[in-house]
Amino acid sequence: MKKTLLALLFGSSLVLAACGDNASDEASDANNPQDAAESAAGTEIEPEKIVNQKCSSCHGGDLSGGMGPALKNIGSQLSEDEILSVIQNGKGAMPKNIIEGDEAEAVAEWLAEKK
């Protein structure tokens, strides 16, 4: 029974970590009008920050891998378009669309430079 409960809790925490917490991001924008204005103004996308927020729980903070594969040298294995496809469609245990739109494109470009 303890093993089943532990497995359930662990699995749930992984799903929550992979999905991120967009609700708190929206709430912080509502509480800070300057942040909301900067977001609306289309400030520059920071791919490294996005990767740290959305990917490091599985791929490691230094991209050396963990539950997910290492991404340190992913640009030598996959093209930018292939990386974007994985982000959009998922692969293995990775769910699709963890990052979307311009952010996904910026992250794919940034990761493709990792060789």
Side-chain angles (χ1 to χ4, degrees):
M1 176 71 180
K2 289 181 183 179
K3 288 182 182 179
T4 304
L5 181 59
L6 185 60
L8 178 63
L9 290 173
F10 182 70
S12 298
S13 66
L14 289 176
V15 169
L16 291 173
C19 293
D21 187 9
N22 292 335
S24 68
D25 292 344
E26 292 169 7
S28 68
D29 283 350
N31 293 333
N32 189 341
Q34 184 178 357
D35 287 348
E38 288 174 3
S39 294
T43 57
E44 187 174 330
I45 296 172
E46 298 178 41
E48 187 172 4
K49 185 176 178 182
I50 295 166
V51 169
N52 286 335
Q53 291 173 347
K54 306 263 183 165
C55 309
S56 63
S57 62
C58 293
H59 296 285
D62 62 353
L63 302 179
S64 62
M67 197 173 84
L71 300 177
K72 276 186 155 181
N73 302 317
I74 195 66
S76 64
Q77 299 168 10
L78 299 175
S79 70
E80 182 178 336
D81 289 338
E82 291 170 323
I83 294 169
L84 181 60
S85 177
V86 172
I87 293 170
Q88 292 173 332
N89 301 312
K91 185 173 183 180
M94 179 178 159
K96 64 181 181 175
N97 293 321
I98 285 182
I99 308 167
E100 298 179 311
D102 291 341
E103 289 184 346
E105 292 176 15
V107 168
E109 180 181 359
W110 184 76
L111 287 173
E113 294 170 1
K114 304 281 181 206
K115 297 184 183 202

